[in-house]
């Protein structure tokens, strides 16, 4: 793919290709809503017109989620090739979509680009091209239009300013077919300073653990011919026992990537250890402009990598450029349009007036106001995150956290050094969703809690972490009254490990997971049983009060009463029958603390649907864990300022390439490459 026109103007500028019209590589009809839109645009109501009452907001939120799709589908024969689409006679097609719309406000805010040129090529008589722009509130305006007069290919050029996009807004084009089919392609270009004329190159850093087929297929995707000029090296940090090189898919991956592929074998140091190794290798080699962190369980749209590189090339300052994440099992569903760290809670979330799990097949960009606002973020997940080497040279590598919070902490650290993160519309991967996992309860609970505290010690702008300690204590008590003793114990261990100081993070990296898993085996609530018949039948002394179902949602008042009474109830002796038989079966969707706290025992299924565990109330264990919970949170309240100072003073050292090189020595001192 050509990326630059060599012709220079008197102002010493060059033409750079910003993005081109694309169609899905695998011709998957399920994702077509991300590429073309056949629907009428029915915009939802403005939130200020709706009003501020909670009832009005609830009604509007329900309406926003309602589908506007009429069920029109793209026909397979309309996909001509990677860049061309056939519009049928009389058909109206909008390219105001995730991958083919132009997110003008992002380019205006973060790059040196001041105006863009849209070139639309149409082959087919009497076809109409209409160019639109939107405001940050979602209202659209017609900008220009043209039509073809013959069957021959005609290219229309539209000069478009980025001036009106301070807060948000997109450009896009629609094509209406004439009496015959019209084949459409398009490119968005810009005149940029001559010194920005050459595109950068990227090292891919992929951490993998026992997903050989998944990872090998990802490597094949990265072998896309259009991506090749941008690709420097593909580092695969192999940390498992099932090796990528042993996959039947690997020879094809090796064939397309050739000498660009490097597989590095090391112990299981988690995501942060794998990514840090990739960052270190990229810095040491020093031939690429960027390193892109990518998970092994994704399907990649190769064009996204190109767009991330181009956006990085033209950014005003070194900028971390992230791709978004779609659900691999529901491929038009977006995880989030951007994520922030809520500073008072110190917790990651989607901004308040944005939506999660948005399905573009039911409501596309032109029909949803919120999608037209520019969303500024604090970090981007490392499922697809491009980091300039210039940033790594200044702020260091990943924190040694194993998993969880390494990407968000890095975004905050970069932000404090003046390097923003942009989550770029039009760039994305499809990732295995984590919403159906048990990571808040299983071994990952340790890393969730420990690393959140570490990140807050480093970056919280509030004394004693804002609400974090209060929220931590409340969550801990919720786990205790829910009979989730293994989770509660792991969270306490996490807090105790933080108190040991920052230098212990590297020491614990290779061993802590095994220790956590071994410890969890002592607890009934951590022993997952796949076959329900391997657990006792449900029996209880008394039937449910008035036959109430476990699925009923209690009122807010009832929940507050439970919050007051449930911790006290846990001191009471258990009912004798509950020691041998569970009192209920609780589906994962209903396993809330205010329901579990009323039982002395229960069979609770897991979010992933593969197993269940037997929860049993233990008053003595509850008493001991509650005592430790209150004591350690009081200690944190007293020692937070000194602990924060200790971690902040050590940050540069524990994230330095030199310290990481020492951690990698057990594997770098031996042959580590395949």
């Amino acid at each position: 793919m050509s990326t630059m026109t060599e012709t220079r103007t008197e102002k010493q500028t060059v033409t750079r290709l910003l993005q081109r019209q694309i169609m899905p590589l695998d011709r998957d009809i399920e994702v077509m809503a991300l590429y073309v839109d056949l629907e009428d645009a029915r915009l939802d109501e403005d939130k200020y017109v709706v009003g501020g009452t909670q009832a009005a907001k609830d009604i509007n939120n329900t309406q926003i989620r309602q589908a506007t799709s009429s069920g029109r589908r793209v026909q397979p024969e309309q996909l001509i090739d990677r860049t061309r689409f056939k519009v049928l006679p009389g058909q109206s097609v909008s390219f105001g979509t995730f991958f083919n719309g132009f997110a003008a406000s992002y380019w205006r805010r973060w790059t040196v680009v001041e105006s863009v040129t849209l070139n639309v090529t149409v082959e087919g008589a009497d076809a109409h091209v209409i160019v639109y722009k939107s405001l940050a509130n979602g209202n659209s305006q017609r900008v220009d239009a043209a039509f073809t007069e013959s069957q021959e290919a005609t290219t229309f050029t539209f000069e478009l300013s980025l001036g009106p996009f301070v807060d948000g807004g997109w450009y896009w084009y629609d094509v209406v077919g004439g009496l015959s089919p019209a084949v459409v392609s398009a490119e968005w270009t810009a005149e940029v300073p001559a010194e920005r004329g050459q595109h950068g190159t990227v090292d891919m850093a992929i951490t993998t653990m026992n997903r050989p087929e998944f990872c090998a297929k990802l490597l094949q995707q990265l072998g896309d011919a259009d991506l090749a000029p941008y690709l420097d090296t593909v580092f695969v940090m192999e940390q498992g026992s099932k090796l990528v090189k042993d996959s039947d898919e690997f020879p094809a991956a090796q064939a397309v990537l050739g000498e660009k592929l490097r597989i590095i074998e090391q112990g299981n140091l988690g995501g942060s250890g794998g990514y840090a190794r990739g960052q270190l290798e990229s810095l040491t080699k020093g031939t690429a402009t960027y390193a892109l962190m990518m998970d092994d369980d994704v399907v990649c749209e190769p064009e996204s990598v190109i767009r991330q590189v181009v956006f990085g090339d033209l950014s005003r300052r070194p900028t971390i450029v992230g791709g978004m994440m779609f659900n691999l099992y529901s491929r038009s569903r977006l995880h989030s349009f951007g994520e922030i760290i809520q500073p008072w809670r110190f917790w990651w979330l989607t901004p308040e007036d944005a939506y999660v799990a948005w399905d573009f097949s039911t409501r596309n960009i032109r029909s949803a106001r919120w999608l037209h606002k520019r969303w500024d973020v604090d970090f981007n997940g490392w499922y697809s995150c491009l980091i300039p080497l210039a940033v790594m040279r200044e702020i260091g590598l990943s924190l040694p956290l194993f998993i969880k919070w390494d990407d968000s902490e890095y975004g905050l650290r970069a932000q404090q050094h003046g390097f923003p993160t942009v989550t770029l519309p039009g760039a994305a991967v499809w990732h295995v969703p984590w919403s159906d996992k048990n990571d808040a309860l299983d071994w990952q609970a340790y890393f969730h809690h420990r690393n959140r505290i570490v990140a807050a010690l480093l970056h919280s702008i509030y004394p004693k972490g804002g609400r974090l300690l209060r929220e931590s204590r409340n969550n801990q008590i919720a786990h205790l009254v829910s009979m989730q003793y293994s989770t509660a114990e792991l969270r306490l261990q996490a807090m105790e490990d933080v108190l040991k100081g920052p230098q212990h993070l590297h020491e614990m990296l290779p061993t802590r997971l095994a220790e956590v898993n071994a410890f969890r085996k002592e607890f009934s609530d951590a022993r997952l049983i796949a076959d329900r018949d391997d657990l006792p039948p449900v029996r209880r002394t008394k039937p449910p009060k008035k036959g109430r179902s476990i699925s009923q949602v209690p009122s807010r008042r009832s929940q507050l009463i439970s919050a007051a009474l449930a911790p006290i109830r846990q001191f009471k002796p258990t009912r004798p029958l509950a020691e041998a038989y569970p009192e209920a079966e609780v589906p994962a969707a209903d396993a809330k603390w205010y329901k579990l706290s009323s039982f002395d025992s229960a069979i609770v299924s897991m979010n992933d649907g593969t197993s269940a565990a037997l929860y049993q109330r233990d008053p003595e264990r509850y008493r001991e864990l509650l005592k430790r919970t209150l004591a350690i949170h009081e200690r944190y309240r007293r020692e937070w300022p000194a602990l924060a100072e200790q971690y902040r003073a050590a940050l540069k050292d524990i994230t330095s390439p030199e310290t990481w090189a020492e951690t990698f020595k057990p594997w770098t001192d031996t042959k580590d490459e395949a």
Side-chain angles (χ1 to χ4, degrees):
M1 181 179 72
S2 173
T3 63
M4 181 180 71
T5 301
E6 294 295 336
T7 304
R8 301 190 177 215
T9 68
E10 294 180 359
K11 295 181 180 180
Q12 291 297 296
T13 63
V14 295
T15 303
R16 286 287 302 266
L17 177 61
L18 306 184
Q19 70 179 56
R20 59 179 183 165
Q21 176 184 297
I22 57 171
M23 295 296 122
L25 268 174
D26 55 5
R27 304 175 68 86
D28 185 355
I29 297 299
E30 185 185 357
V31 301
M32 283 310 303
L34 306 180
Y35 296 84
V36 296
D37 187 2
L38 305 184
E39 304 298 336
D40 299 325
R42 288 180 282 160
L43 200 62
D44 57 277
E45 190 59 86
D46 187 284
K47 66 179 181 180
Y48 290 105
V49 174
V50 169
T53 68
Q54 189 59 51
K57 290 179 181 179
D58 291 342
I59 292 172
N60 191 48
N61 284 335
T62 300
Q63 291 175 339
I64 287 173
R65 286 287 190 179
Q66 288 178 345
T68 60
S69 173
S70 64
R72 300 177 187 136
R73 297 183 69 86
V74 170
Q75 302 303 311
E77 63 269 18
Q78 292 183 261
L79 303 177
I80 303 299
D81 55 29
R82 176 64 160 154
T83 61
R84 295 184 299 162
F85 182 82
K86 182 190 291 185
V87 178
L88 301 178
Q91 186 180 44
S92 177
V93 177
S94 178
F95 294 86
T97 57
F98 181 85
F99 281 118
N100 285 320
F102 186 78
S105 63
Y106 289 77
W107 287 89
R108 187 195 193 283
R109 172 64 183 91
W110 300 111
T111 74
V112 298
V113 176
E114 297 178 350
S115 63
V116 296
T117 300
L118 169 62
N119 294 300
V120 183
T121 300
V122 182
E123 185 179 346
D126 199 30
H128 290 248
V129 179
I130 309 104
V131 180
Y132 293 93
K133 72 177 181 181
S134 66
L135 307 178
N137 64 7
N139 292 333
S140 62
Q141 300 175 352
R142 175 177 164 139
V143 177
D144 205 346
F147 65 92
T148 60
E149 297 180 344
S150 70
Q151 283 292 123
E152 296 181 358
T154 304
T155 299
F156 300 105
T157 299
F158 304 94
E159 301 295 339
L160 306 169
S161 170
L162 296 186
F165 298 97
V166 170
D167 294 326
W170 295 68
Y171 275 124
W172 69 88
Y173 54 96
D174 291 359
V175 178
V176 181
L179 297 176
S180 61
V183 177
V184 182
S185 61
E187 291 183 343
W188 302 83
T189 64
E191 293 297 309
V192 301
E195 64 270 18
R196 306 273 189 148
Q198 294 293 332
H199 68 73
T201 58
V202 60
D203 289 331
M204 305 296 298
I206 302 169
T207 299
T208 188
M209 172 76 174
N210 294 337
R211 292 192 181 103
E213 282 73 28
F214 226 131
C215 188
K217 289 180 181 179
L218 171 60
L219 297 176
Q220 293 173 25
Q221 296 153 20
L222 295 176
D224 181 74
D226 290 331
L227 180 55
Y230 299 84
L231 209 56
D232 189 309
T233 304
V234 179
F235 294 106
V236 178
M237 275 54 70
E238 177 65 86
Q239 300 190 144
S241 56
K242 299 177 182 178
L243 305 182
V244 177
K245 65 183 181 182
D246 294 335
S247 167
D248 292 340
E249 301 285 345
F250 183 72
Q254 195 169 41
V256 292
L257 289 174
E259 294 183 356
K260 292 184 177 181
L261 177 61
R262 287 184 58 194
I263 297 182
I264 298 172
E265 296 183 16
Q266 64 181 27
N268 183 14
L269 304 180
S272 65
Y275 289 127
R277 181 67 182 275
Q279 293 165 359
L280 180 62
E281 295 288 341
S282 185
L283 274 179
T284 302
K285 179 172 60 67
T287 56
T289 320
Y290 311 98
L292 194 151
M293 310 298 108
M294 184 169 282
D295 280 345
D296 60 346
D297 55 348
V298 305
V299 170
C300 177
E301 166 56 85
E303 192 79 9
S304 295
V305 178
I306 298 173
R307 292 179 180 182
Q308 287 168 269
V309 169
V310 172
F311 195 90
D313 290 344
L314 300 178
S315 294
R316 299 172 188 267
R317 59 189 63 82
T319 298
I320 297 173
V321 185
M324 297 185 184
M325 175 188 134
F326 284 93
N327 187 328
L328 184 61
Y329 303 134
S330 180
R331 297 190 66 187
S332 60
R333 191 181 299 274
L334 183 70
H335 164 63
S336 174
F337 219 70
E339 292 183 289
I340 62 171
I341 302 296
Q342 207 285 341
W344 178 240
R345 294 182 58 205
F346 208 85
W347 185 247
W348 56 46
L349 47 78
T350 296
E352 182 179 352
D353 48 349
Y355 293 81
V356 297
W358 188 264
D359 192 342
F360 282 83
S361 69
T362 61
R363 201 168 187 120
N364 220 323
I365 287 174
R366 296 179 304 138
S367 64
R369 288 184 186 274
W370 74 273
L371 289 171
H372 295 260
K373 179 180 177 180
R374 189 190 74 243
W375 298 98
D376 296 336
V377 302
D378 291 325
F379 72 99
N380 198 95
W382 281 0
Y383 40 77
S384 179
C385 188
L386 179 131
I387 305 174
L389 263 64
V391 173
M392 289 192 286
R393 291 188 186 103
E394 181 162 335
I395 75 170
L397 312 184
S398 170
L399 267 180
L401 298 178
F402 197 81
I403 60 167
K404 309 300 181 187
W405 285 90
D406 46 357
D407 47 14
S408 47
E409 185 281 327
Y410 200 88
L412 293 176
R413 197 189 332 158
Q415 192 178 79
Q416 290 177 352
H417 284 77
F419 303 121
T421 296
V422 176
T423 298
L424 182 64
V429 296
W430 288 269
H431 189 284
V432 174
W434 51 72
S435 55
D436 297 332
K437 296 182 180 180
N438 308 318
D439 62 350
L441 301 178
D442 63 11
W443 60 270
Q444 297 172 85
Y446 168 88
F447 295 101
H448 264 301
H449 197 44
R450 185 196 67 174
N451 299 346
R452 179 187 182 188
I453 294 172
V454 169
L457 287 166
L458 290 168
H459 301 295
S460 177
I461 58 177
Y462 292 99
K464 301 179 182 179
R467 184 185 164 83
L468 185 148
L469 290 179
R470 177 182 174 186
E471 199 166 285
S472 168
R473 183 199 62 200
N474 292 348
N475 289 341
Q476 182 75 354
I477 293 174
H479 286 300
L480 289 175
V481 301
S482 300
M483 303 174 286
Q484 294 162 345
Y485 301 122
S486 67
T487 303
E489 181 66 68
L490 291 182
R491 287 166 54 88
L492 286 174
Q493 289 188 13
M495 299 184 76
E496 290 163 358
D497 283 350
V498 173
L499 292 171
K500 294 176 182 177
Q503 298 303 332
H504 287 273
L505 292 173
H506 275 279
E507 296 174 11
M508 291 188 286
L509 198 60
T511 61
R512 200 66 183 99
L513 174 61
E515 294 165 355
V516 164
N517 278 330
F519 178 78
R520 290 181 69 240
K521 293 179 181 178
E522 302 175 15
F523 296 84
S524 171
D525 62 280
R527 291 193 288 271
L528 304 184
I529 308 299
D531 190 340
R532 170 62 183 85
D533 288 344
D534 291 339
L535 292 167
V538 171
R539 294 183 185 176
R540 54 188 303 165
T541 306
K542 294 181 179 180
K545 187 176 182 180
K546 297 182 180 180
R548 288 174 183 168
S549 168
I550 192 71
S551 62
Q552 290 181 344
V553 179
S555 66
R556 176 63 175 165
R557 180 173 178 271
S558 295
Q559 292 181 37
L560 291 173
I561 293 173
S562 295
L565 298 180
I568 299 172
R569 177 185 177 276
Q570 304 305 308
F571 290 108
K572 294 181 178 181
T574 59
R575 290 179 282 266
L577 193 61
E579 296 177 8
Y581 299 99
E583 295 183 328
E585 287 191 44
V586 184
D590 296 317
K592 312 300 183 185
W593 67 265
Y594 45 80
K595 295 189 176 183
L596 294 175
S597 62
S598 65
F599 298 114
D600 282 355
S601 61
I603 294 174
V604 183
S605 58
M606 299 295 108
N607 284 330
D608 60 8
T610 63
S611 58
L614 177 61
Y615 288 12
Q616 293 180 300
R617 188 163 72 84
D618 185 337
E620 288 189 19
R621 176 165 270 165
Y622 170 80
R623 186 178 291 105
E624 185 264 334
L625 288 173
L626 179 62
K627 181 179 179 181
R628 287 170 57 199
T629 293
L630 298 177
I632 200 166
H633 282 85
E634 175 58 24
R635 181 178 175 186
Y636 266 85
R637 191 190 67 79
R638 294 193 311 269
E639 299 181 13
W640 184 278
L643 198 59
E645 184 177 348
Q646 182 183 0
Y647 272 83
R648 294 180 188 194
L651 179 60
K652 184 175 181 180
D653 176 60
I654 61 177
T655 60
S656 70
E658 295 77 15
T659 301
W660 269 110
E662 287 296 315
T663 298
F664 295 134
K665 265 193 173 182
W667 301 280
T668 56
D669 284 348
T670 60
K671 184 178 180 181
D672 61 358
E673 296 184 16

